[in-house]
Amino acid sequence: MDIAANLNSIRQRIAAACARAGRAPDAVTLLAVSKTHPPEAIAAAAACGQLLFGESKVQEAKAKIPLCPGKARWHLIGHLQSNKCRDAVELFQLIESVDSLALAQEINKRAAVAAKPMPVLLEVNVAGEASKFGYAPERLLAELAELNRLPRLEIHGLMTVPPYVTDAEKARPHFRRLRELKEQCEQILGAPLPQLSMGMSGDFEVAIEEGATIVRVGTALFGARPKLQREAPGA
Ligand SMILES: *Cc1c(COP(=O)(O)O)cnc(C)c1O
């Protein structure tokens, strides 16, 4: 696995997608999804200047982060259980997977104890898939004002994992839907939401064309993950 070469190629593809969409090349941040991959792989990416990583499980991150370069920064991208909020607030610079008011309240409480703000994204289940976590769009719009009143929570934007497709074009309507939902949220909040986290190895270029500001790329950078682990979100 040539992580340096993969990283180069992903960076070029991001830049090309930005150019096609008339966006600045630095409008998109690459989140390297390192779940299941060892600290050595993370160190190899960090040596090439990739310092932002995504992990799905608090427990795995807790064991791994101390073994990784100290300048690395971490996003949680998998489902979070209330009893892991304390660790999550400590380990992650941003939690991308906030999917209920109860969870947001618990994160807020833990962030208050830790005396720090906690940047988050709100995860949306854009296609209403029964197997996935994430807010139903209507519910998010209904709860947004209350989420926004939690003093330690900083809502930076929205995240989604759309239905799996083999043809990236088929993901486009879902990415567009998330962008439109972000605009509705901005109306409710009366303030801009800077981040849209969408797009993975198979479809990040389409996501960029639809406005992604964070793309979450694992396989295209680190190679296939071991199959031991269930691939369901939050598994
Ligand atoms: C695993 C995962 C990714 C990365 O997927 P790849 O297809 O390997 O790029 C992105 N986002 C989430 C939420 C994930 O769980």
Side-chain angles (χ1 to χ4, degrees):
M1 191 46 53
D2 189 341
I3 289 172
N6 291 349
L7 190 57
N8 241 337
S9 143
I10 293 163
R11 284 172 174 161
Q12 281 172 17
R13 288 168 63 190
I14 290 173
C18 285
R20 274 200 304 282
R23 303 179 61 199
D26 62 358
V28 176
T29 299
L30 172 61
L31 180 77
V33 176
S34 50
K35 64 188 184 199
T36 78
H37 295 291
E40 294 71 31
I42 292 160
C48 303
Q50 176 63 38
L51 296 177
L52 187 64
F53 297 90
E55 287 285 332
S56 285
K57 294 173 163 184
V58 173
Q59 241 159 330
E60 180 180 341
K62 194 177 180 180
K64 200 179 345 183
I65 289 175
L67 309 175
C68 292
K71 58 194 171 171
R73 292 292 171 265
W74 303 87
H75 286 193
L76 180 65
I77 59 172
H79 180 65
L80 177 59
Q81 292 167 322
S82 307
N83 62 357
K84 304 227 168 78
C85 284
R86 187 159 63 112
D87 283 338
V89 162
E90 211 168 282
L91 293 164
F92 294 97
Q93 277 67 49
L94 190 148
I95 298 172
E96 297 203 9
S97 45
V98 173
D99 57 9
S100 74
L101 183 58
L103 178 64
Q105 287 166 334
E106 183 63 22
I107 293 170
N108 179 67
K109 193 166 105 188
R110 294 301 174 181
V113 172
K116 63 181 205 180
M118 191 67 228
V120 302
L121 304 183
L122 304 170
E123 180 174 359
V124 183
N125 186 352
V126 275
E129 292 172 278
S131 63
K132 287 218 173 104
F133 291 103
Y135 266 108
E138 314 72 55
R139 192 179 176 104
L140 172 61
L141 294 171
E143 287 186 359
L144 185 61
E146 195 162 354
L147 288 164
N148 193 45
R149 278 196 291 272
L150 295 169
R152 297 287 170 168
L153 217 65
E154 286 182 357
I155 302 173
H156 285 215
L158 305 183
M159 179 272 235
T160 196
V161 184
Y164 178 78
V165 289
T166 46
D167 171 9
E169 270 307 315
K170 295 217 168 81
R172 188 182 297 275
H174 301 298
F175 295 144
R176 191 168 292 166
R177 176 82 184 91
L178 193 72
R179 190 188 60 209
E180 289 165 357
L181 192 64
K182 180 173 93 83
E183 288 160 9
Q184 286 177 279
C185 290
E186 290 171 333
Q187 295 244 305
I188 292 172
L189 297 173
L193 290 174
Q195 304 292 359
L196 263 186
S197 174
M198 56 188 195
M200 310 181 6
S201 290
D203 54 19
F204 67 87
E205 287 144 310
V206 173
I208 289 170
E209 290 168 10
E210 293 301 329
T213 64
I214 298 173
V215 292
R216 310 179 307 267
V217 178
T219 309
L221 176 58
F222 294 115
R225 287 178 287 276
K227 275 290 167 205
L228 327 161
Q229 191 159 16
R230 282 185 59 226
E231 277 293 288

